Amino acid sequence: MAEQSGHYAENLPAFIQSITPGILPFLYESTGIETFFRDERDPEPRSRRLFSFHRPETLAALAAEPDTLRRRLADMPVKHPLPVQNLRACQVEGITNLEESFASAHPRALVQMATGAGKTYTACSFTYRLIKHAGAKRVLFLVDRANLGRQAMSEFQQFVAPDTGRKFTEVYNVQHLTSSNLDSVARVTICTVQRLYSILRGEELDEDIDEKSGYELAAVYEGGSGVSPLNSGTTQSRDGSATLNVSYNPETKRYEKSETLIQEFRTSPQLRIAVTVDMIATGTDIKPLECLLFLRDTKSRTYFEQMKGRGTRVLTATDLQAVSGADALAKTHFVIVDAVGVCESDKTDSRPLERQRTVAFDKLLLGIALGKRDEDTLTTLAGRLARLDREISREDAKTLTELAGGKSLSELSNALLAAVNPDKVEAASRRLLQDRVAELGSESYGSLQVGYFDPAEPVTYLTGDLPHWRQENVTYFVTFR
């Protein structure tokens, strides 16, 4: 359809050419269900999905601009080089690569930074540049929790522009959205995903909904949580413009009290120790923190890194002494006191079961039938079976159980997950070793005391456990975790 609309724009009837000579700048394509828009003045014009057709006054405003947003984005890295003062090397790299991505007309970008690297400050810095140098009219700053929104608002209020020395909020209006009332003059709107979803649905929600888990640019801030609001499908800008993802439920009264306590701990010289459970992780910025004491283990690698990140914040010696006293000369490092072995315990990455969402169910089953046994395929099948088990009728479930030799879909799903569970695999391997040693003696399979794999043991003692794919003159090394 894009080629067809372009052909129409280049071959307008004579009576239209007499009114508007030349090629039309704004082109639409629609199927009746989906509507696309293209601005032929862009450096690389391409169609973008819209929620609805533009209003006439919007088109008039676009036509009055000397160039387009994408043209300004393409020119910004050259015309307005990034000032690097007050920026860390990782922040300079992130902003530079982001602007190069936008200059190349990529509509989406991901900035991934380590915990404590200054993601919010980075977001404020490139937002300032997008508004001032690229002419972005409004920026939507999305967060997944209200405390991240308050943190972002505080960062915008403290951000000092490197070219003028003025604070961000002295130059541009910033709104922290707590209702459906949008400030028409706000250049930055900070909003939770929950509230954005309610606005798009036309629903009015209470202010405390943020506590329970038409823009030109959407900055989706995760605060290291690993939760991507982009997956919800609600963050596409009204004209299909750029979206940026920056990689980052207590009741209201309790939450407000905890926020007050955290603020006091952050700034008060009297408060020295804070004891929390599942509260101080992502989104909590206490820069003077110099000691973390762990009294409980966690198996989540992401959550552990977030908790460690509370100690990575840096601050000036003056700010440190204001909280910690004159003896605190500078924060050069932080200390972890590990009372439970959390630093040594095994950690896992939380990943979705369905890692091959685009693979059709019949093709997934065909791959299994043809011998595919990789972890992503097995976990995806387990997830599909578990979901199917909740959707089918009792009669269908009974029929499938009979066909599967008496195993229900839930049991089949659990068995697939057990097959890729490293702890269960290791336990099964040790049982196999015990059975073989009991059957043939330790002379053939080594000593039980050395565990399943010991680099010092002769390799021939181990390869005997792999008769189904063992080949002559090939050495196999089997390791677990």
Side-chain angles (χ1 to χ4, degrees), residues 89-164:
C90 61
Q91 294 171 329
V92 172
E93 180 182 2
I95 297 174
T96 300
N97 290 340
L98 170 65
E99 293 181 354
E100 290 178 356
S101 175
F102 283 156
S104 301
H106 297 300
R108 291 189 176 189
L110 170 67
V111 178
Q112 185 173 2
M113 300 175 68
T115 300
K119 293 184 289 294
T120 313
Y121 186 89
T122 302
C124 292
S125 182
F126 67 66
T127 298
Y128 176 80
R129 288 177 54 77
L130 286 170
I131 295 175
K132 180 166 185 177
H133 301 307
K137 299 297 186 299
R138 293 182 296 173
V139 173
L140 175 62
F141 196 100
L142 272 181
V143 296
D144 62 354
R145 287 184 309 287
N147 69 316
L148 290 178
R150 287 188 286 270
Q151 178 184 331
M153 185 67 185
S154 176
E155 198 75 46
F156 275 109
Q157 292 170 338
Q158 298 174 27
F159 180 83
V160 177
D163 51 353
T164 65

Side-chain angles (χ1 to χ4, degrees), residues 3-13 17 22-24 27 40:
E3 291 79 5
Q4 189 175 9
S5 65
H7 175 74
Y8 290 154
E10 294 175 0
N11 299 275
L12 296 174
Q17 284 279 9
I23 301 176
L24 292 178
L27 306 180
E40 287 293 314

Side-chain angles (χ1 to χ4, degrees), residues 356 358-370 372 377 381 384:
Q356 299 178 351
T358 59
V359 179
F361 190 46
D362 58 342
K363 291 183 172 57
L364 186 66
L365 292 175
L366 178 60
I368 295 289
L370 294 177
K372 290 193 68 175
T377 298
L381 179 59
R384 301 276 181 93

Side-chain angles (χ1 to χ4, degrees), residues 273-276 291-296 335-340 342:
I273 299 174
V275 180
T276 71
C291 180
L292 292 175
L293 169 61
F294 286 92
L295 296 175
R296 191 181 68 170
V335 176
I336 293 179
V337 179
D338 185 0
V340 291
V342 64

Side-chain angles (χ1 to χ4, degrees), residues 157-431:
Q157 292 170 338
Q158 298 174 27
F159 180 83
V160 177
D163 51 353
T164 65
R166 301 177 62 188
K167 291 189 175 182
F168 192 106
T169 50
E170 294 175 353
V171 183
Y172 305 115
N173 290 347
V174 180
Q175 179 189 20
H176 185 193
L177 200 61
T178 57
S179 68
S180 60
N181 298 320
L182 294 172
D183 185 352
S184 60
V185 298
R187 303 300 294 271
V188 177
T189 299
I190 303 171
C191 179
T192 63
V193 180
Q194 302 93 309
R195 186 158 300 282
L196 175 63
Y197 183 71
S198 72
I199 293 174
L200 294 177
R201 289 178 59 90
E203 300 174 351
E204 185 64 45
L205 297 180
D206 296 334
E207 185 174 344
D208 65 347
I209 190 64
D210 296 319
E211 308 294 354
K212 303 174 183 177
S213 215
Y215 293 87
E216 288 172 316
L217 181 113
V220 187
Y221 183 70
E222 302 172 31
S225 65
V227 180
S228 177
L230 289 175
N231 294 333
S232 67
T234 64
T235 62
Q236 179 183 353
S237 53
R238 183 168 294 277
D239 69 344
S241 297
T243 301
L244 171 69
N245 188 21
V246 185
S247 176
Y248 63 67
N249 297 331
E251 297 177 357
T252 306
K253 291 183 179 179
R254 178 188 172 193
Y255 190 87
E256 291 176 351
K257 182 179 179 180
S258 65
E259 280 287 293
T260 302
L261 291 173
I262 290 174
Q263 177 62 24
E264 292 178 0
F265 181 62
R266 181 184 295 118
T267 58
S268 172
Q270 282 73 40
L271 295 178
R272 313 302 299 164
I273 299 174
V275 180
T276 71
V277 179
D278 291 339
M279 282 181 56
I280 298 184
T282 180
T284 304
D285 192 11
I286 306 177
K287 293 180 179 179
L289 194 64
E290 295 183 271
C291 180
L292 292 175
L293 169 61
F294 286 92
L295 296 175
R296 191 181 68 170
D297 196 4
T298 177
K299 297 298 183 183
S300 170
R301 179 179 291 108
T302 300
Y303 196 50
F304 180 52
E305 292 299 324
Q306 290 169 3
M307 289 188 286
K308 288 196 300 182
R310 300 318 97 196
T312 62
R313 269 62 177 167
V314 296
L315 72 169
T316 64
T318 302
D319 292 337
L320 177 63
Q321 291 169 1
V323 179
S324 300
D327 293 336
L329 301 180
K331 182 179 177 179
T332 59
H333 64 283
F334 72 101
V335 176
I336 293 179
V337 179
D338 185 0
V340 291
V342 64
C343 295
E344 285 75 27
S345 64
D346 292 336
K347 304 292 188 296
T348 59
D349 291 315
S350 298
R351 300 180 61 189
L353 287 181
E354 292 197 35
R355 304 170 191 173
Q356 299 178 351
R357 294 180 179 273
T358 59
V359 179
F361 190 46
D362 58 342
K363 291 183 172 57
L364 186 66
L365 292 175
L366 178 60
I368 295 289
L370 294 177
K372 290 193 68 175
R373 296 294 187 272
D374 60 279
E375 183 175 340
D376 287 356
T377 298
L378 294 180
T379 56
T380 299
L381 179 59
R384 301 276 181 93
L385 293 179
R387 187 173 61 187
L388 184 63
D389 186 47
R390 296 190 296 267
E391 297 174 350
I392 62 176
S393 64
R394 290 185 177 181
E395 291 74 14
D396 290 339
K398 182 179 179 180
T399 301
L400 287 174
T401 300
E402 294 174 353
L403 293 174
K407 293 185 178 295
S408 65
L409 291 180
S410 177
E411 291 172 329
L412 291 174
S413 176
N414 291 336
L416 288 169
L417 294 177
V420 295
N421 185 318
D423 293 329
K424 293 184 179 295
V425 170
E426 182 176 351
S429 299
R430 292 184 182 279
R431 289 196 302 270

